[in-house]
Amino acid sequence: METSYSYLGAKEMKDIDDELMADLRYSVYQLMELAGLSVAQSLYHYDKELGGSDGKKVLVIVGPGNNGGDALVAARHLKFFGHSPVVYRVYYPKRPKKDLYEELVTQCENLEIEFIDELPEDITTEAYDYILDGIFGFSFSGSIRAPFDDVITKMGASDVPIASIDVPSGWNVDEGNVNGTFTPSMVISLTAPKKCMEGFTGAHYIGGRFVPKPIIDKYSITLPEYSGLDQFARL
Amino acid sequence: METSYSYLGAKEMKDIDDELMADLRYSVYQLMELAGLSVAQSLYHYDKELGGSDGKKVLVIVGPGNNGGDALVAARHLKFFGHSPVVYRVYYPKRPKKDLYEELVTQCENLEIEFIDELPEDITTEAYDYILDGIFGFSFSGSIRAPFDDVITKMGASDVPIASIDVPSGWNVDEGNVNGTFTPSMVISLTAPKKCMEGFTGAHYIGGRFVPKPIIDKYSITLPEYSGLDQFARL
């Protein structure tokens, strides 16, 4: 297993994402499906390593952007894997009306995945086994505005282990936890780890096995190695 | 492992596919990505069962419809898994200009997957380890017209093991091999096995782990069981 790999900055990651969808002609549907699948598989794998059984209650916290889309895809696959996702959507100032998100929500509803309109005051280990953090991804910067501040505070106060998609929500992508929010138990980096993950000591997974050679060459990046047919790797 | 499952007719399968994309709001990108991924994983798994190593040469024969799209997605994932797909596109009367196919082809080209413009007269085991048959799927019926007849004849004359996506090309979806074409070594049924697969004695895999409860209930179908986080199952 290759143990050295690149950490990407926010700007570089945005360029790569743009390029994948423009010149390299990936659709957001494909990238999000593969990303969300790898998130669900990573969490499944992590839970199994801890000796877990099926039927885990996973509180999936869904933000307004692509990180939230990845979370909705992950919720759908977790349900197929035998777990019990519960979805909470947090929006500001109102729900986006994008077709893509409406579609992903409909897909979850048709699997009888539960949606809740309010977060409980305390997110307890009696109610949930994991929190899947899909609020902000690599495009977040600045300070944490309402209503996200309350949600992130509740997550930090909870004893439930948090698995963050790509970047822990509220962290600066380049500089890490400068806003002083929670530290997740687990992070699933997508495409490549971001700079904020240097020195992270929790469980670190990678997903998004779709980065083609032109990207690797152009940005001189070293990716973690996947094995066999796996869509994720434990780093 | 549940050993009894439904075999779907052509009409029923078309209704289910339409319904997935209309009422249930799956995009063709999502379904094709998950289907193609499961095809690549199944072939990878089959080859490993036979003691195979990496770097297998897979001749991917791509037809003009969704079965060809699944094949292009599978070629991309096979490349990530360490195999060497070579793509031959067979069209009648000319190449479709659909964005989706152009995108899938571009994605393969950017992985440096080889495309060939003509099939060799003999498809030999010296040149190829497998043929991945993505010519026709569940919407094929009637007789086999040019130029597909020649291609299918060459496949039948070859000693290279054939893996068919969803339905062996040229077979009647409900009635089986009434046109007297080849019998593949392996079939990866998508969504659910079709009627033509009853009594099939080769290696039988299932992929397309995305069928939601409203479909299962409405059509009273019993699906094969998947295990853990797998996107395919060996039946």
Side-chain angles (χ1 to χ4, degrees), chain A residues 23-101:
Chain A
D23 301 354
L24 300 176
R25 302 190 68 184
Y26 282 86
S27 78
V28 66
Y29 289 99
Q30 292 178 294
L31 299 179
M32 202 170 267
E33 192 65 34
L34 292 175
L37 175 63
S38 69
V39 166
Q41 293 190 331
S42 297
L43 183 53
Y44 183 95
H45 182 268
Y46 177 67
D47 178 63
K48 278 280 178 257
E49 275 206 341
L50 299 176
S53 51
D54 285 357
K56 288 294 159 63
K57 280 269 231 176
V58 182
L59 177 60
V60 182
I61 305 188
V62 173
N66 282 352
N67 209 252
D70 296 339
L72 287 168
V73 172
R76 170 159 44 83
H77 287 290
L78 283 170
K79 180 81 176 192
F80 275 107
F81 301 164
H83 288 309
S84 297
V86 175
V87 175
Y88 173 68
R89 307 172 79 186
V90 46
Y91 293 117
Y92 172 78
K94 56 185 162 73
R95 298 193 171 201
K97 268 289 166 202
K98 283 177 77 169
D99 274 356
L100 172 59
Y101 296 97

Side-chain angles (χ1 to χ4, degrees), chain A residues 30, chain B residues 32-44 58 60-62 66-87 104 107-108 111 113 132-134 163 165 188 190:
Chain A
Q30 292 178 294
Chain B
M32 203 170 266
E33 193 64 33
L34 293 175
L37 175 63
S38 69
V39 166
Q41 293 190 331
S42 298
L43 183 53
Y44 183 95
V58 182
V60 182
I61 304 189
V62 172
N66 282 353
N67 208 252
D70 297 338
L72 287 167
V73 172
R76 170 160 43 84
H77 287 291
L78 283 170
K79 180 81 177 192
F80 277 107
F81 300 165
H83 289 308
S84 297
V86 175
V87 174
L104 295 173
Q107 290 161 21
C108 285
L111 291 176
I113 290 173
L132 183 59
D133 160 28
I165 300 177
I188 309 103
L190 296 173

